[in-house]
Amino acid sequence: MLPALLVLTLAALAPAAARRHAPYLREDEPARRTARTAECLFGKQAMELGSQWFADLGPPFGIMYCIKCECIAVQKKRRVVAKVHCRNIKNECPEPTCETPVLLPGRCCKTCPGDVNYPDLVQEDMPGDVIIEEADHNMKHFASFLTGRSPLCVQRDDMTGVPVAPGVAAARFTFRRRHLYWSVLLSPSMKTRPRALAFLDRQGQVLLEQSLKKIPGIHATYEEKTDKLCGVWRRVPRQYKTLLRDGDLHVALLWGDETSNSIDSALSGRIDRYPALSSEMFTSLLEPENPPTTFSQATCRGSKDLDHEEGWWGGTAVITSVAGAAPSLYMAIVFNGIFPKTVNTSDLVRVVLTLPDKNQTIIDQRVAKPNYDFNLLEVSTPISAAELRSLARGRLLLGIESVENPQRRISGSVRQKGTCELFHAPLVAERTPAAPSPEGLALVYIDKEGSLVYDIQMENVGVVDPKITLVEEQGKRHLQVEILDTRVGVLARPSARIFQPLYDEQLVVHIAGDAGPPILRGRLTSRLMPDAAGSGPALLRRTTQARVPNNMAGLAWLSVDSLCGLYYEAAVTGSSRSRSTWWLETHAGGEDNARELGGDEGWVLEPSAAELVAIHIGAAFLELRAQDNVTALLRTRAPQISVPTSCLPAVPGPIDNELSPKYPPSPSADQLSDYGLYRLSVGYCKQGEKYYKLGEIWTDTETCSKCVCVMGTPKCEPVQCPHVNCLVPTILPPGHCCPICTNTTSAAWSENGSCVLAGQSYAPGSSWHPYLVPGGYDTCAICTCNYITKQIHCPRVQCPPLRCSEKDAFRPDKKACCRVCPENKTKKSDEETPKDQGTPKTAEEILAEGGCRFPDGPLPNGKEVHPSIHSHGEQRCVTCRCKDGEVTCVRKRCGRAACQRRRRVDACCACTRHRRQRHHPPPPS
């Protein structure tokens, strides 16, 4: 048992293969899969936190009903992560209560009639859609107000408190189909974008942390146009959903270094339910007009210990307007901090809504103070049509102040609602047209200026200049609201009447000719914006394989998150689609693959490498198939998505290095098919106006970077210039990054007659390190172009002879070119031993010098130790040695001669006694 346990313990310490060459100078690539903190992955299936199941090992084993697994929460410093825990429940089976128990199919324990509460019973989960549909009515809209007065303590991994960040922020949350969509508004005083958003429980333990790094695509464009931070928490476990319902879930914005994931400051707030958010149309983020000049950096304080001078104060407002014959305005305002602790309960709050451009006051009301720590006010008033237009265009200013303490006034401009959402619609033919049938889609959203951004796509309309109108349809009442002049554009000053039907999903897009009924129409519906790499919607086109009704149309969204999960969503209108399913087809590398997805919305947590590459290059198709799963009804090519680099597979095929000839500057014109698109997008990189082939290396002289084409993306690093010893002064000519040796004392230099190596030119007198893929620069060699002979020499560093065996030699540093011998460790007397040994080296310094990671702490390069097992103590018969960052462990071997000398045998020698087989005499006949 002990040797087997030892092998398992030490297997993680030794890498699969030892390096036998000079170390590559390459950075560690990010892992393709990142841990999902709120769920467990068992095989390729995601398990919700708290769920139980039986281990399914697949064929030929099948389901092991005696192996019960559970997804449990494990505390790791300040974080809570999900972990799979499996155990054998065979020994937990109770004694049967009858004489003839029966082992039923799908059970581990033998049971008797009427027996219950057996350990081999797992409660079946209800379908997720059923659970959410029941909860959507009462649990959908939430919000959080983040200021420096929040009592939550945010801690680092070392459990030290984090200083509170100055500023004010507001967050909106929408719970929809197991997902929690969020959006964050930052006050204008916050100039730095936070690096992450975290969800915490009331003890400050991190349940989930999401990076706020911008991802290319429609998500980054939307954030830039609206000044919002958008994202989604996918598949919220039921345990955390309970925290959300009970008001025990908090949110925090984290500032710090993205590389090290450090936390320099944080701003947090509790997530509460706000029914008024269901009708929100506008919002306002209120911050102090006179912010505190000295901001306290105190951490982990409770609300009862906060003085009114510590931390920023502020507020947020949920505003709803009603247009029509008698326009009105309703405001729900949440704020804190405008009153000191010694405030009189009879103090009044003054609510002022003004139009600064015209020095006009729209609202000036005084309301009784509700509470010191937290305040919620509701104000309702009629307004004029002109004031409603000013509200829609973001020209109003909202202010809150204490009548007795006006110096702590908070204010902010009124802007569009805080939820990250846009509106889309598939456009359906109104009447039966001649073939081909018209089809199209519409996409609109409101930007930070209150303008309407729209994108209308249409095909086979049959009209050169169609008329595009936005119509409010409420029952039989149709009212034209706006006319769009172009198919793609921005409507700078939309009518104030457009917002209420847009948010109520009563706004319809009409595409018509000069006269007659509309050719295409579609009702705009809301879609929440997730945090994932993706492009805009794709139009689902009818196929010729089946007779598709003319009133059937659709659009599809496809995105990939930072954890490489694939998400899709389709919106289809028209005739019923009983038992039809969605399929994903990929065409990459000359291979065709198809995957069944399921309903109109879903995800694939572990897509294949071929599928991710196809999505990355735009060679993936999404289609709706009929009941037979063969006939395609609707089909579209998915737009090209910038899949995260960590999700893409390694570069296919061998990569040529600097000694390879140059490739043509641009791709050929015959690469236009699906496979050609794969070759074009992955096989070429574009930088500036030039194309580079897969694996090609070039130097960008403007930024002094060495670049290589990898999977369609240039990867660059700074040029490393070798140290040169010149007899004459060096010069740095234009277009060069490293100094060059000349042949005259006047420093005259000419590029005529440069050196050529494998098609690449080098200036006379220049020196460089060879660049190899994927290792990078080989600093152990220096190539030089002789100024006179124009010949290239690339000698390697000459290493001194070793004074020890090759086995004992090691590299003091991972980037070192030569190996050295370990120091002789001779025992010195107490008088010869110096008293001051200096400061011990840190773990980072030991690892940087070629040290190794070890359970008992980092080992210096060349160090030998005996490992320890917690249950068995030190294993003196096993010796582990650190060499060049790798640990090798061997067990002491004993020869046959040592085993024969039993009296002097070593305790580490395991001698086996071989018994000779005795030949028994044959039985008497």
Side-chain angles (χ1 to χ4, degrees), residues 378-514:
E378 294 184 0
V379 177
S380 179
T381 182
I383 58 175
S384 64
E387 295 169 345
L388 184 61
R389 287 194 298 269
S390 300
L391 173 70
R393 295 169 186 174
R395 297 166 57 188
L396 300 186
L397 183 70
L398 178 64
I400 308 293
E401 64 182 30
S402 169
V403 176
E404 302 294 334
N405 240 354
Q407 67 273 13
R408 296 180 66 86
R409 172 186 172 93
I410 55 177
S411 62
S413 59
V414 179
R415 50 173 295 171
Q416 293 300 318
K417 64 184 300 186
T419 305
C420 292
E421 69 175 341
L422 42 77
F423 300 85
H424 63 183
L427 303 180
V428 185
E430 278 289 281
R431 60 183 184 274
T432 304
S437 300
E439 50 194 358
L441 64 85
L443 176 69
V444 302
Y445 64 88
I446 308 297
D447 66 6
K448 58 186 175 183
E449 304 295 338
S451 303
L452 182 72
V453 182
Y454 60 91
D455 181 5
I456 312 296
Q457 303 177 23
M458 61 188 81
E459 297 180 359
N460 308 322
V461 178
V463 180
V464 178
D465 188 15
K467 180 182 179 181
I468 307 174
T469 58
L470 300 179
V471 180
E472 179 185 358
E473 293 186 2
Q474 190 173 4
K476 296 183 179 181
R477 175 176 170 267
H478 291 192
L479 177 63
Q480 180 176 304
V481 180
E482 286 287 356
I483 300 177
L484 305 181
D485 298 330
T486 59
R487 300 189 181 189
V488 179
V490 178
L491 186 61
R493 301 177 66 182
S495 171
R497 297 179 302 172
I498 198 175
F499 297 105
Q500 184 173 352
L502 177 65
Y503 294 138
D504 293 342
E505 298 185 354
Q506 296 176 354
L507 198 64
V508 181
V509 180
H510 283 198
I511 310 294
D514 295 334

Side-chain angles (χ1 to χ4, degrees), residues 890-910:
V890 295
R891 190 177 185 86
K892 185 175 181 179
R893 297 182 179 179
C894 300
R896 183 177 299 177
C899 290
Q900 292 177 354
R901 299 190 297 270
R902 298 181 180 178
R903 295 183 179 180
R904 301 180 181 179
V905 69
D906 194 337
C908 296
C909 296

Side-chain angles (χ1 to χ4, degrees), residues 444-687:
V444 302
Y445 64 88
I446 308 297
D447 66 6
K448 58 186 175 183
E449 304 295 338
S451 303
L452 182 72
V453 182
Y454 60 91
D455 181 5
I456 312 296
Q457 303 177 23
M458 61 188 81
E459 297 180 359
N460 308 322
V461 178
V463 180
V464 178
D465 188 15
K467 180 182 179 181
I468 307 174
T469 58
L470 300 179
V471 180
E472 179 185 358
E473 293 186 2
Q474 190 173 4
K476 296 183 179 181
R477 175 176 170 267
H478 291 192
L479 177 63
Q480 180 176 304
V481 180
E482 286 287 356
I483 300 177
L484 305 181
D485 298 330
T486 59
R487 300 189 181 189
V488 179
V490 178
L491 186 61
R493 301 177 66 182
S495 171
R497 297 179 302 172
I498 198 175
F499 297 105
Q500 184 173 352
L502 177 65
Y503 294 138
D504 293 342
E505 298 185 354
Q506 296 176 354
L507 198 64
V508 181
V509 180
H510 283 198
I511 310 294
D514 295 334
I519 304 173
L520 292 174
R521 66 180 297 274
R523 183 179 298 272
L524 293 169
T525 58
S526 172
R527 182 186 188 271
L528 299 172
M529 178 65 65
D531 182 13
S535 56
L539 174 63
L540 291 167
R541 296 174 175 84
R542 302 181 187 90
T543 64
T544 58
Q545 300 180 12
R547 299 184 60 181
V548 182
N550 292 322
N551 64 344
M552 189 174 185
L555 56 85
W557 295 79
L558 208 63
S559 61
V560 179
D561 65 5
S562 59
L563 300 179
C564 311
L566 172 63
Y567 297 87
Y568 73 94
E569 179 182 349
V572 179
T573 60
S575 59
S576 62
R577 303 179 291 106
S578 59
R579 300 183 64 181
S580 56
T581 56
W582 289 97
W583 288 73
L584 176 69
E585 289 188 359
T586 56
H587 305 270
E591 298 181 0
D592 297 344
N593 301 284
R595 177 197 290 267
E596 184 177 0
L597 297 177
D600 288 346
E601 183 178 356
W603 56 83
V604 179
L605 293 184
E606 295 285 333
S608 65
E611 290 172 339
L612 290 173
V613 169
I615 294 171
H616 181 69
I617 66 177
F621 292 83
L622 193 66
E623 68 179 21
L624 178 66
R625 295 185 182 180
Q627 183 176 347
D628 57 3
N629 284 336
V630 176
T631 306
L633 303 177
L634 300 175
R635 179 179 172 88
T636 184
R637 179 195 290 270
Q640 185 176 357
I641 298 174
S642 298
V643 177
T645 307
S646 59
C647 302
L648 295 174
V651 180
I655 299 181
D656 299 323
N657 55 25
E658 217 172 34
L659 303 181
S660 302
K662 269 200 160 291
Y663 294 108
S666 61
S668 57
D670 60 349
Q671 295 177 324
L672 297 177
S673 62
D674 290 339
Y675 182 58
L677 181 61
Y678 165 78
R679 296 281 304 276
L680 176 63
S681 299
V682 180
Y684 288 88
C685 298
K686 184 179 181 183
Q687 189 177 52

Side-chain angles (χ1 to χ4, degrees), residues 825-880:
K825 299 180 180 179
T826 58
K827 189 175 181 179
K828 298 182 180 181
S829 61
D830 295 340
E831 292 145 2
E832 294 177 353
T833 303
K835 299 299 182 183
D836 186 6
Q837 297 291 342
T839 305
K841 295 182 179 180
T842 62
E844 291 77 9
E845 293 174 346
I846 294 176
L847 296 176
E849 295 176 354
C852 307
R853 298 183 183 274
F854 204 70
D856 297 334
L859 296 180
N861 202 350
K863 178 75 171 179
E864 293 184 355
V865 295
H866 298 300
S868 297
I869 299 179
H870 178 70
S871 58
H872 296 81
E874 185 181 21
Q875 304 298 303
R876 302 195 61 84
C877 298
V878 178
T879 302
C880 295

